[in-house]
Amino acid sequence: MADHYEVLGVSKDASAEEIKRAYRKKARTLHPDVNPSPDAAEEFKQVTAAYEVLSDETKRRNYDMTGNANGTGATGGFGGGFGGFSDIFDTFFGGGGGARSGPASRTRRGQDALINVKIELEDAVFGVEKTIDLQTAVRCSVCDGSCAEPGTGTQTCETCHGQGQIRRPVQSILGTVMTAETCPSCRGFGDTIPNPCHECGGQGRVRERVSLTIKIPSGVDTGTRIQLAGRGEAGPAGGPQGDLYVEIKVGDHPVFSRDGADLTATMTLPMTAAALGTELTLDTFDGEQTIRVKPGTQSGSVETLKGLGVGLLRGNGRGDLKVTLKVETPTKLDDKQRELLEALATARSEHIVHGQTESKGLFSRRKKKNRDRD
Ligand SMILES: [Zn+2]
Ligand SMILES: [Zn+2]
């Protein structure tokens, strides 16, 4: 007896799909209906016998180990081990291993839902509870998801006798094969609902506006998605709820910005205050805070208020509040002010040229360098 793999022209490690494809290809040219020669008939038997073994996981394993399909005797002839016509049908018309047997269930899990929720920056700092309204599918309270009017039930489908499928013979190039179709009377469920629930129209769920209270933890940021398991849409026919995803958008704040777990702010102070030192008051999410500005503070320096930032999304603690100090140089000076500043410049030995002060620092050194080069 020829090797089954050789007969089908596939390798020893061919996948189930490859084996099926190889058989399909050969059977199309060898089947008695399309090829009446005796040689073809004989080859068709061999090809079919090979497919019968290699398409069955157990038989294939036995064949690989012992050289025959059942591990003891010889392999069965054509048709011996085939599981009825539907197997052939599935092989040729793509039903394959996914072909469903038996009726389908009406009950399915509900869909996941996504809603957008906008919160304020302060809510992201401390966390917040939000009550939101949303349109969703909920289990029908009249039939409790059974789909049938209370007091009534389902009835076994008379068309398919509860199978959910109808099998009937059709002619093909391979002769008569059986087709399996979803039963049109029960749509594959195997039973019918003679008296559908009046509330949900036999769906077992209705669309409703519901109010949900969501706990939003501190530390969320724009784009953060919170998953609420089992808070999505109710499934058909009493199916469980899907999940609800809440996508956060954090609104802008006029004073504070977000930098990860830190908050940032900018405060402006006059040049004289920066030079002399002062105290600034900042109204934060934790109340008024005093910022001590040391004498000689430079523009752009940052004061850090520890632990006044955003609460961490995971774990305890909070980020910091970082206040950038911006020193403002006066743009308009009256005569008195200019005199005072000029007196200050003189006292500091700052040489003024054409209304511009030339410090004894970097700038003058650079000028000297240029002269040296000339
Ligand atoms: Zn109902
Ligand atoms: Zn039916």
Side-chain angles (χ1 to χ4, degrees), residues 156-166 182-192:
T156 302
C157 175
E158 284 168 9
T159 310
C160 65
H161 307 289
Q163 295 305 301
Q165 293 178 343
I166 300 172
T182 301
C183 171
S185 303
C186 63
R187 289 186 294 140
F189 297 132
D191 56 22
T192 57

Side-chain angles (χ1 to χ4, degrees), residues 116-320:
N116 295 293
V117 172
K118 194 178 169 186
I119 61 170
E120 299 303 325
L121 181 59
E122 184 169 3
D123 299 333
V125 171
F126 298 112
V128 69
E129 262 190 14
K130 277 257 175 198
T131 300
I132 46 161
D133 285 342
L134 76 154
Q135 187 85 24
T136 187
V138 298
R139 183 176 295 194
C140 173
S141 58
V142 173
C143 66
D144 195 29
S146 76
C147 308
E149 189 69 11
T152 72
T154 57
Q155 225 170 50
T156 302
C157 175
E158 284 168 9
T159 310
C160 65
H161 307 289
Q163 295 305 301
Q165 293 178 343
I166 300 172
R167 287 167 184 264
R168 60 188 165 93
V170 291
Q171 299 303 315
S172 79
I173 59 161
L174 299 176
T176 305
V177 294
M178 298 298 286
T179 68
E181 280 174 2
T182 301
C183 171
S185 303
C186 63
R187 289 186 294 140
F189 297 132
D191 56 22
T192 57
I193 300 167
N195 300 298
C197 168
H198 69 274
E199 180 70 18
C200 62
Q203 296 303 304
R205 57 176 183 170
V206 289
R207 292 205 77 79
E208 240 176 44
R209 227 179 157 72
V210 299
S211 213
L212 266 186
T213 301
I214 308 170
K215 210 172 140 52
I216 298 171
S218 65
V220 294
D221 206 343
T222 295
T224 303
R225 276 192 186 181
I226 302 168
Q227 181 187 12
L228 301 171
R231 304 287 288 274
E233 293 193 352
Q241 281 177 274
D243 297 338
L244 177 67
Y245 291 86
V246 179
E247 186 166 316
I248 303 292
K249 182 168 176 14
V250 182
D252 290 333
H253 190 275
V255 175
F256 300 104
S257 299
R258 177 92 178 261
D259 180 15
D262 292 337
L263 288 174
T264 60
T266 299
M267 291 187 89
T268 303
L269 70 160
M271 177 183 77
T272 42
L276 298 170
T278 187
E279 281 186 357
L280 300 173
T281 302
L282 180 61
D283 199 6
T284 73
F285 295 131
D286 295 84
E288 281 192 355
Q289 301 290 323
T290 301
I291 296 164
R292 290 190 173 79
V293 179
K294 291 183 286 289
T297 290
Q298 302 294 310
S299 191
S301 63
V302 177
E303 286 296 313
T304 299
L305 303 177
K306 286 264 174 215
L308 297 189
V310 182
L312 300 176
L313 191 56
R314 286 176 186 83
N316 298 317
R318 292 170 65 183
D320 300 330

